[in-house]
Amino acid sequence: MASRLATRLLLRRPTATICISRSCRRVRHFSTQLLEGLPRYSKPTRGRYFLPNASPYQLWSRSFSSENGDLVEAVVPFMGESVTDGTLANFLKKPGERVEADEPIAQIETDKVTIDVASPEAGVIEKFIASEGDTVTPGTKVAVISKSAVPNEAHVSPPEETSWKETPLPPEEKDNTEEKSPKVEPVKKQEPKLTTPPLKSSSSEPQLPPKDRERRVPMPRLRKRVANRLKDSQNTFAMLTTFNEVDMTNMMKLRSDYKDKFVEKHDVKLGLMSCFVKAAVSALQNQPVVNAVIDGDDIIYRDYIDISVAVGTSKGLVVPVIRDTDRMNFADIEKGINSLAKKANTGALSIDEMAGGTFTISNGGVYGSLISTPIINPPQSAILGMHSIVQRPVVMDGKVVARPMMYIALTYDHRLIDGREAVLFLRRIKDVVEDPRRLLLDI
């Protein structure tokens, strides 16, 4: 019936163009084939026609496929609204290896995150189109994959190496090799040569190390981005840092008393960061100007609190964001921090998870830092620095006792925040951490 319908169409309208649908349910993509010897028709028909098996016209194949439908191309995916290009860092597979659908075959390093290039279909990698170190944009072709090829055995199991002794040469070649083999002459003893000692350089010339003891590598894009942002922060903000110290006795006792019950109920450990995040939320609510930002000639006050947490990874510093921390409890904050830290260490953070943020907390104490002056994370207006906990002598009720103390630092933009607001902000954090009951009573 289908063949009679197609024949009838050709007889009635000789200038018609055959349009073949990709799907039998819904017309989505069209590919027109012009019949030989017939003029082109301006408007293709959006109908579905079934051709006999012997028809010379082939169905339209899926995106990124060759004409025969066997080869597909892996392309760079969309990398985010603010990311226009990236660097092809490395390939995870080799030509000739088998890959499955959606399996990563390459990694793209951007200014913020590392993105995987996945295989669109299951098959064998025919070749790589791009090279490591190339700058690529979304849609750039990276590799060609064959869906019907057989994996290269060289990548599956290396061939057994055979010794040259096990394969004897033919008689004629043996004679030739024996005739051409050079005669071994006795080694003559070389007389030692008198060498002149090197001239001593003048004391005024600096002694530089040799160049072969140096290594030059290209700077990763993430490190470039961090360097540019920090330098822009220094050039833009009028940064000033104020310090205070916190007695961690009560907070550490709280952790010790309830850590087991906390893990049993919430399936996550109770850390110090959640307490400082809640203390920062309380301080930002008391001093809303610290949560604000300068935009041209205006000041933008935010009625929401998104805390950015600085995480150091092997590739560089990343600052993922915990959204709406003013609506979270201790358990929600700990779960959010653990999830973002795992993604940061595995390079699985997305652009959205690092965008925004109204205030940043950096914990240099995990590396043993005693005191530091953190740099503001633009376009925010302030950053809190935590440091290591050290037993120090302090005066309590007229007596000198040893207490676990931590220095805290607040770096703020002095164009927007005055010293009064900064000191009161840091004082609020000190009061809440030293006596967490203030959060319960809201005092």
Side-chain angles (χ1 to χ4, degrees):
M1 179 177 180
S3 61
R4 286 183 294 174
L5 181 61
T7 304
R8 188 178 302 171
L9 176 64
L10 296 176
L11 292 176
R12 292 183 179 181
R13 301 184 65 177
T15 61
T17 302
I18 298 177
C19 300
I20 305 172
S21 172
R22 176 189 172 192
S23 173
C24 294
R25 295 182 181 180
R26 182 181 175 188
V27 177
R28 298 175 59 187
H29 302 281
F30 297 92
S31 176
T32 59
Q33 299 284 350
L34 189 64
L35 297 178
E36 297 180 0
L38 296 179
R40 183 182 297 272
Y41 187 66
S42 59
K43 296 182 179 179
T45 306
R46 294 187 62 172
R48 294 198 302 265
Y49 303 102
F50 299 91
L51 299 179
N53 295 332
S55 173
Y57 305 104
Q58 299 178 352
L59 291 178
W60 187 86
S61 56
R62 69 183 301 278
S63 300
F64 310 126
S65 298
S66 62
E67 294 182 356
N68 57 11
D70 177 60
L71 300 180
V72 294
E73 295 169 343
V75 300
V76 177
F78 177 70
M79 296 183 288
E81 295 293 340
S82 60
V83 182
T84 57
D85 59 7
T87 301
L88 183 56
N90 62 304
F91 289 105
L92 305 177
K93 296 290 183 177
K94 297 179 180 179
E97 287 188 351
R98 172 80 180 178
V99 292
E100 302 299 330
D102 298 328
E103 182 179 359
I105 62 176
Q107 288 184 333
I108 306 297
E109 188 179 78
T110 68
D111 298 340
K112 299 180 179 180
V113 295
T114 300
I115 300 174
D116 292 333
V117 178
S119 173
E121 300 284 350
V124 177
I125 298 178
E126 288 283 332
K127 62 178 179 178
F128 290 128
I129 302 177
S131 303
E132 293 184 358
D134 290 352
T135 300
V136 295
T137 57
T140 302
K141 299 175 183 178
V142 174
V144 177
I145 299 170
S146 174
K147 296 187 290 185
S148 61
V150 180
N152 189 356
E153 296 180 357
H155 297 285
V156 179
S157 59
E160 298 180 358
E161 297 181 358
T162 57
S163 176
W164 64 274
K165 296 181 180 179
E166 298 177 0
T167 56
L169 296 174
E172 297 180 357
E173 295 186 5
K174 278 185 178 182
D175 297 339
N176 294 336
T177 54
E178 291 177 357
E179 293 177 359
K180 295 180 180 180
S181 60
K183 296 180 180 181
V184 180
E185 297 181 357
V187 180
K188 297 181 179 179
K189 295 183 179 180
Q190 296 181 355
E191 298 179 357
K193 297 181 180 180
L194 298 177
T195 57
T196 58
L199 297 176
K200 294 183 179 180
S201 58
S202 61
S203 58
S204 60
E205 295 180 0
Q207 298 295 326
L208 300 178
K211 295 296 183 181
D212 55 359
R213 296 174 60 187
E214 299 177 349
R215 291 184 299 113
R216 183 185 295 270
V217 296
M219 182 181 292
R221 294 178 67 95
L222 179 59
R223 175 53 58 188
K224 288 182 181 179
R225 180 65 173 174
V226 171
N228 293 333
R229 285 178 62 86
L230 294 181
K231 190 56 183 175
D232 291 342
S233 177
Q234 285 186 327
N235 296 336
T236 303
F237 300 137
M239 287 191 290
L240 188 62
T241 304
T242 183
F243 301 91
N244 212 322
E245 60 180 358
V246 180
D247 187 349
M248 301 295 296
T249 303
N250 293 334
M251 185 60 206
M252 295 177 69
K253 187 177 184 303
L254 179 67
R255 288 182 61 197
S256 177
D257 293 342
Y258 295 102
K259 62 179 181 180
D260 295 334
K261 293 182 179 180
F262 192 87
V263 173
E264 181 180 352
K265 180 176 182 180
H266 301 290
D267 196 26
V268 65
K269 292 182 179 181
L270 177 61
L272 294 177
M273 183 61 74
S274 58
C275 181
F276 275 91
V277 170
K278 293 296 292 183
V281 169
S282 178
L284 290 170
Q285 291 172 342
N286 281 270
Q287 303 294 331
V289 68
V290 182
N291 200 45
V293 65
I294 295 177
D295 184 16
D297 295 332
D298 301 327
I299 300 175
I300 300 177
Y301 289 90
R302 276 82 67 96
D303 296 330
Y304 59 94
I305 299 176
D306 294 345
I307 301 294
S308 304
V309 180
V311 179
T313 66
S314 58
K315 295 184 178 180
L317 182 69
V318 293
V319 192
V321 182
I322 307 174
R323 311 287 180 186
D324 297 323
T325 52
D326 52 329
R327 303 178 183 177
M328 292 183 174
N329 55 24
F330 280 73
D332 294 334
I333 294 174
E334 290 291 348
K335 291 178 181 178
I337 293 174
N338 289 345
S339 175
L340 292 174
K342 290 179 181 178
K343 290 183 179 180
N345 291 322
T346 57
L349 283 174
S350 64
I351 299 294
D352 295 335
E353 290 173 325
M354 293 194 297
T358 62
F359 184 77
T360 298
I361 299 178
S362 176
N363 186 9
V366 295
Y367 306 109
S369 173
L370 180 63
I371 193 169
S372 65
T373 55
I375 299 179
I376 298 175
N377 179 26
Q380 301 172 13
S381 298
I383 180 173
L384 175 68
M386 299 169 53
H387 301 91
S388 59
I389 301 174
V390 180
Q391 290 282 341
R392 292 202 303 270
V394 296
V395 178
M396 301 289 296
D397 297 330
K399 298 180 180 179
V400 178
V401 294
R403 308 283 281 191
M405 305 297 293
M406 174 194 288
Y407 288 119
I408 55 176
L410 178 72
T411 300
Y412 57 96
D413 187 1
H414 210 349
R415 301 177 304 166
L416 177 64
I417 305 169
D418 294 330
R420 174 182 176 274
E421 287 82 6
V423 172
L424 292 177
F425 179 92
L426 211 56
R427 180 71 190 187
R428 177 62 182 175
I429 291 181
K430 172 183 171 65
D431 293 340
V432 171
V433 175
E434 289 185 344
D435 189 2
R437 294 176 298 179
R438 289 177 177 270
L439 293 175
L440 179 63
L441 300 176
D442 192 19
I443 58 175

